[in-house]
Amino acid sequence: ASGTITVYTSQPNDQMAAVVAAFNKDHPEITVDVFRTGTTELMTKLEAEFTAGSTPADVMLIADAVAMTKLKNEGRLYAYADAPTAGLPEAVIDPDRTFFGTKLITTGIIYNTNLVKTAPVSWADLTAPDVAKSLIMPSPLYSGAAVIHVDTMVQQPEFGWKYYETLADAGAVAGQGNGTVVEAVARGEKAYGIIIEYMALNAKAKGSPVDFVFPKEGVSSITQPVAILKDSDNIDAAKVFVDWQIGKTAQEQSVGQGYFPILAGVNPPAGYPALDSLKIMSADPAKMLADDAANKQKFADLFGG
Amino acid sequence: MADLSVPRVSPTGRQRVSRGDEPLFVAFLALVVLVLAVWPLGRLFVEALGTGEGGKSFGLMSEALSSRAFERAFWNTLETSSASVVVSVLLGLPLALAISLFRIGNRVALTFLVLSPLLIPSQIMALAWIELMGSSSPLLGLLGFAQAQGETNPLYSRGGIVWLMGIEHMPLVFLAVRACLTTLPEDLIEAARIGGAGMFRIVTGVLLPLAVPAVVAGASLAFAASVGNFGVPALLGIPGRYPMLTTLIYQRLNGFGPAVIGQVAVLALVLVSMAGVALGLRAIVLRRSAPIDRSGRPLAPFEAGRFHRPLVFALWSVVTLLSVVPLLALLGAALSPAVGVRLGLDSVTLAGFRSTLIDSATVRRAFANSILLSAGAAVATAGIAVLLAYFGTVRRLMVARRVAWFAELPFIVPGTVLALAYILVFLPPLPLIGVSIYGSATILLLAYVARFLALAIGPVQTALASLDPSLDEMGRILGARTFRRIARLIAPLAAPASAAGAILVFMTAFNELTVSALLWSSGVETIGVMVFSLQYEGNSTAAAALSVASIGFVLVLALLVDRLGNRLPSGTLPWRH
Amino acid sequence: MANIRLESVSKRYPDKVAVDNVSFEVPNGSFFALLGPSGCGKTTILRLIAGLERPDAGEIALGARPVAGRGGFVGPEHRGLGMVFQSYALWPHMTVAANIDFGLAGRGLSRADRRRRVHEALDLVGLSAEGARRPHQLSGGQRQRVALARSLAVRPEIILLDEPLANLDAHLRQTMLAEFGRIHAQAKTTFVFVTHDQNEAMALADQVAVMDRGRLQQLAPPEELFARPASPMVARFVGQGRLLAGDVLASGEGTTRFRLDNAEFQVEGRAPVGPGWLCLRARDVQLAKGGGSGERLNGRVVGSRFEGGDHRLTVQVGETGAVGSVDVLSPQRGTIGEAVCLALRGGWVLAREAA
Amino acid sequence: MANIRLESVSKRYPDKVAVDNVSFEVPNGSFFALLGPSGCGKTTILRLIAGLERPDAGEIALGARPVAGRGGFVGPEHRGLGMVFQSYALWPHMTVAANIDFGLAGRGLSRADRRRRVHEALDLVGLSAEGARRPHQLSGGQRQRVALARSLAVRPEIILLDEPLANLDAHLRQTMLAEFGRIHAQAKTTFVFVTHDQNEAMALADQVAVMDRGRLQQLAPPEELFARPASPMVARFVGQGRLLAGDVLASGEGTTRFRLDNAEFQVEGRAPVGPGWLCLRARDVQLAKGGGSGERLNGRVVGSRFEGGDHRLTVQVGETGAVGSVDVLSPQRGTIGEAVCLALRGGWVLAREAA
Ligand SMILES: Nc1ncnc2c1ncn2[C@@H]1O[C@H](COP(=O)(O)OP(=O)(O)OP(=O)(O)O)[C@@H](O)[C@H]1O
Ligand SMILES: Nc1ncnc2c1ncn2[C@@H]1O[C@H](COP(=O)(O)OP(=O)(O)OP(=O)(O)O)[C@@H](O)[C@H]1O
Ligand SMILES: [Mg+2]
Ligand SMILES: [Mg+2]
């Protein structure tokens, strides 16, 4: 396989640049064009392209499994039956083999170390009026990761929408993506935030006055699935890319970038808890998809964003 | 004339047709606007007419418009945009008056700073103000107004949105007014002084009324820009739970599904009609504006006399608040190792600059792309604007006025919507040529030109509406063809205004985000997209560094252009006299 | 070939009829003056000829070519005329030389030719030294001269001039008039010439069209206009004529018997028996020593003003002022209220609609 | 109290000295004319008086108050003057009435008073019907009248007028001149009046300052200016005087013996023995029947032009043209080349710098 493939992704630019560089070391014959933007824009662009007739995209690599499922249901995805999935947990693989998780991103709590004396340890701690008043979270209307998180939370019997209603009533606000959250908390404008782990831990590593907590009730998880579009005009090269993504090289690289690996036998980044010590909240993907629109609406009604 | 034996000149041309080559020009303009604006938006709006879930015709429309969320967002948008226009005018008009009328030092620096809100990305501006108004505000702290820790920042509110959009669009008013004032003939002021009028009456009785068309032009642009603004409502409105139409559109986009484009198109139509009203108003004012004989000596700045010091102090205070503080905030962010780290001598680092400017080839490419695209868009829009304004306001051709109206539509819809429309029509291979421009720099250039035409048309139309028609008539009498008259007479006479427009376009396009976010492709990255991505990923140090670099870059460019200033028609550069 | 023909041309502004059913013909190579008070429509007629306005009714032709009216409309850029605007319309962004050069480009002239022509035109108007200045650095009269030079430089077949000399002093005025005459004689250029100054019109024109409130009042050579005005308006306007009200007693063969304030005169004129006006210019009367009867008029000095080396006295004829007043030249300043006796040397009688 | 005094005032533009060491005094309540060719600095002087320009040297005082020069500078808004601009400077965004009203505001007048004054001013210039129009809807002369009305309405103590009548026809010009006279007589307003038209200057002014190339040439009452010009420039400029080159043979008591082209004359003048100019106006010569000697001149007609009911012939004196030419009025059109004989009725002799 050779030629050019176009990858639509919501993964950060510099990370993606490193990924492409590493990929090309193994596969110099394939040129990778990347189009990176937020999940919402990405899906909008894709939708417009479908309406106009075709899309130049060959591979999708996004955070939002719900959106991916939607694409699948619309018949846009290629079923890659013989993908080399050995070593991947079944939970991150689409039963129809149209998309495959590439890493694990969890959502937890960030707080400002200057403002917060006693660190929160659980999601429930956020509902205290003083805490909620100074809480910011990403909006599912802007962030794919937030979609999964909200959809997961509301499926948990102990939280549900009541949890968000409490937060909203107490004055918690929604920003746009996770970037806004880390920004607001690091600046001390907000004391607490809900955020994906690597962004918080990266900021901490660079010296921002923040710390991150994996709440004791569990974290929501995003698998950052990769998929091939059915209309791709270079399916062969796309397959090579997907194979590589779920292979060992890529997994080790993503650990270097601060992600939990998904492949058995690859260690998590230094300073991260062991993967099996983490409690991951379970969620039903089918229900997520079914409720997606309603959930976003409900969130928008609560938080205005 | 000593020698009359030289063969005499006979009448040029033999046509019986009256309009000569004008229809050709107008047809060309109509074609340009058709391709750039009418076709894409039309294609999009066709989606709006689609049937909704119930299957009724116009169902989509009634569904989208009947929801409570829509109603709230609609009124919020209307209120907030109108109020922010007031802010823009209240800031831009006095600044333009002060800088144009009085002899003050550092005009270049002042003008550049006044224009800088165009260059500072919304989110940076917002952050600076959030800091300024927030609990740890050094300024409010000094005044004893600082908020208690953890209180919600007052900027997350309608007032905050109004204020920030007001600042962001202030340069639109400023430049329009300034371009108008620099070419006013001095004798109009002198006559008033002779009549015993003091500064106050001269300003209120003569200058302001003469500047009204320019103010209206600037204000209507500011209104259109506010209505379509996404950045500020997203930054402040979401946490403030204050929905506006643009954020509503974004929410709808998020719904993702076949009906989404139609729904979005419906909302975009609403925005278009809101701004259309403002533009209609402007047309009425322009039609009433009187021709000014500008052959007299142009206005020279006054000595402010004993008001000099207070004036300079006031000017610099305002400019500091509006521009210097955000710029410093930006610079601070760019120099700190990570967000939230207190900046001290020991913590200052150039890492942000290094990682963005030196380490990344993509960023360098983005710089090159943004410069070429913005400059291209600036030149193209200025050219088209002069043509449209000439045929519409000087030659008074109805068709040209209509065309100009359509040309402004892409500015009013949110960038995302315009980008969608462009994808819809430019993804398939173009008719006749058979090539698709999708994924190339061309589509970005076209989209920029379309999006920012309005910025260029406004000031030029105002300037030409007050042009003494005999200046063009004399050219016609001498047999000069349309092209020559435009090139040699109209373009130089409109130069201050078209330069103002081009500068607006360049600066705005340089940071453009919402259109580019959907239309860029690998190889044609732009600065705006890069800054936003970095920010979005939580890497705000790098984002700030990139912003600082781009502002510095534009400053250098402005200084270079200033060097050419002597060769340009007087009044062309807004910071010169 | 380039004569100008207007046929029943009218032009209305929203609240004003500026030109009202005017017809005339300007013969080829003639020197044609449009004369009339401020606001009478002179500029508008010029703009109609130039193609800057479209007539609301009527037709205009240049030579054999209809340029406005039923047969379509030819724009000014295709009419090949020259024009000097009342407001000068200089391009503020160009130097004086560039203003003049503009019209020369695109006519197949070499660069050197153009430069020479610009130079000549500047010389002509006495502005050789100011070629590099910009209009706002010139005095009012200098601007007018630039406008003049600009339209002369292209040497069109028809030149339209709107008050071209209003801001020039007598000396320059003479020079320019002489230059017009020369160009006219050499190149047979047709000059159409708007002015409110009857002296200017009379001095140069072959034909003068007198206008009033949008209407054509009289079209005649200067001498006829002066000697035989067709209407009281023309009589008043041309040569500062004064009108005295009286009665025509008998009329015939271009002469009338006219009664004025108890005196009777034999005066030239074409008016039916009945109420009449006697039109008198200063040159038609003379101060006569001693009172008298016959061809004499008695009056009283009501004004005196120095003019051209003489004093122009205004004399009220008769006791009541009902008859009117006349001007007369005198070597001495007049004393207001002084009784004088005037002798008639000429005059012209017009019909008068009884009040 | 409000006389105007200029002392050694100069004003330079980057490439031109517009006013060169000019001193004069305008007495209180006088009617003062600045006369001179285009570009001689008249407008600049007016602007200096108004405070729109600062002199580069010299001093200006209004009444007892120094307004420019060593003692600081008083801005135009504090000088309390009226001014009519050569360019009119009407405010395009205001109606005609509002233009006039602008200067009336802030003077403690009641609203009704202001309206009345605006009305009066409009009446005065014959534009009562046009009060609601905007300047661009007016003809050129109408605009000038609005500018005039605007400055008259405020009734200042000093009115500066820059070519106020250039675009008005003879009739309106008379009316306006009469009105100036009336205002002047009633309110003792001081009028300073720029014109290039010597008739206008002569008709009204008490004092006329003749300027040339930035310098003051002569300051005198009209009659003196006309009869006894101080320099060849003034002689030429005023009354269209023609200069003939000759020699003064003897001089004394205001009269000279002058030789011209082989003939000798006794002419008024103040010039030393040596080369001299004989200044002749049309009214100083007459066509004489038959050739002759003594107080006669022989010449040849070189031009003829209709003017004011007569024909103005230009006659070259002597055979060669080295002497010069004069104008003479004749009832008949002249034939170019015809030999004529002229009789002298007056004249004025000036010193001539030998060429
Ligand atoms: N802004 C300027 N820059 C340079 N030169 C100037 C400027 N304004 C006037 N001048 C020159 O100064 C001289 C005097 O000008 P001024 O306007 O006083 O003349 P004027 O006597 O009023 O003439 P006119 O009768 O033509 O109006 C002129 O030669 C003119 O070209
Ligand atoms: N744009 C306009 N709108 C309305 N009325 C106008 C317009 N232009 C001219 N007029 C009117 O038409 C009439 C004729 O104007 P025109 O300019 O032809 O006069 P004119 O004879 O040239 O006078 P002047 O000697 O004062 O220049 C005037 O009464 C004027 O007020
Ligand atoms: Mg006119
Ligand atoms: Mg002047």
Side-chain angles (χ1 to χ4, degrees), chain B residues 1 4 8-9 18 471 478, chain C residues 73 91 107 182 186-187:
Chain B
M1 246 154 278
L4 287 166
R8 65 162 58 246
V9 180
S18 65
L471 295 182
L478 287 174
Chain C
F73 182 82
W91 296 303
R107 291 179 187 254
R182 209 175 58 78
Q186 276 188 14

Side-chain angles (χ1 to χ4, degrees), chain A residues 143-168:
Chain A
S143 154
V147 172
I148 303 287
H149 181 71
V150 172
D151 286 357
T152 306
M153 286 297 279
V154 297
Q155 283 191 24
Q156 308 306 312
E158 73 261 47
F159 299 127
W161 275 112
K162 241 191 111 329
Y163 178 72
Y164 281 103
E165 279 158 14
T166 317
L167 293 182

Side-chain angles (χ1 to χ4, degrees), chain D residues 35-251:
Chain D
L35 180 66
S38 166
C40 72
K42 306 179 294 293
T43 297
T44 309
I45 290 202
L46 226 55
R47 292 175 58 84
L48 285 164
I49 297 176
L52 297 173
E53 306 280 354
R54 285 160 190 261
D56 293 314
E59 279 175 64
I60 303 176
L62 296 182
R65 179 164 73 142
V67 292
R70 271 169 313 184
F73 182 81
V74 178
E77 54 278 42
H78 304 298
R79 295 195 182 184
L81 311 151
M83 178 159 177
V84 175
F85 286 74
Q86 196 166 11
S87 59
Y88 316 153
L90 300 180
W91 296 302
H93 60 290
M94 297 183 190
T95 62
V96 165
N99 261 282
I100 297 172
D101 184 60
F102 185 88
L104 297 176
R107 293 182 187 251
L109 292 172
S110 74
R111 190 169 283 256
D113 270 354
R114 277 164 58 179
R115 203 162 17 210
R116 196 171 38 74
R117 285 241 220 149
V118 169
H119 210 79
E120 279 171 18
L122 281 174
D123 255 1
L124 182 66
V125 296
L127 289 178
S128 315
E130 339 276 324
R133 294 222 203 162
R134 295 222 263 144
H136 70 270
Q137 297 173 316
L138 299 180
S139 77
Q142 288 167 336
R143 286 180 211 181
Q144 187 161 46
R145 285 183 268 162
V146 176
L148 214 49
R150 180 172 67 180
S151 70
L152 293 179
V154 299
R155 300 184 194 157
E157 291 178 7
I158 300 176
I159 296 194
L160 309 174
L161 303 150
D162 198 349
E163 308 267 8
L165 310 176
N167 274 301
L168 304 187
D169 57 83
H171 183 70
L172 258 170
R173 204 179 266 239
Q174 293 310 336
T175 318
M176 294 318 307
L177 283 176
E179 185 58 26
F180 291 170
R182 206 178 56 78
I183 296 176
H184 182 227
Q186 272 187 15
K188 279 285 158 240
T189 308
T190 305
F191 278 78
V192 181
F193 196 113
V194 160
T195 179
H196 59 260
D197 180 344
Q198 36 120 355
N199 281 331
E200 207 170 289
M202 301 300 205
L204 212 51
D206 311 328
Q207 292 275 323
V208 179
V210 183
M211 308 226 0
D212 191 32
R213 277 176 276 168
R215 299 241 175 86
L216 185 61
Q217 294 281 329
Q218 186 171 5
L219 176 57
E223 281 149 75
E224 184 174 332
L225 210 61
F226 195 92
R228 290 184 288 283
S231 73
M233 181 265 153
V234 177
R236 258 195 223 98
F237 198 79
V238 174
Q240 299 179 45
R242 300 291 198 134
L243 296 182
L244 300 178
D247 295 284
V248 179
L249 302 179
S251 168

Side-chain angles (χ1 to χ4, degrees), chain A residues 86-89 248 261-266:
Chain A
L88 288 191
K248 195 159 159 98
I262 228 165
L263 199 61
V266 181

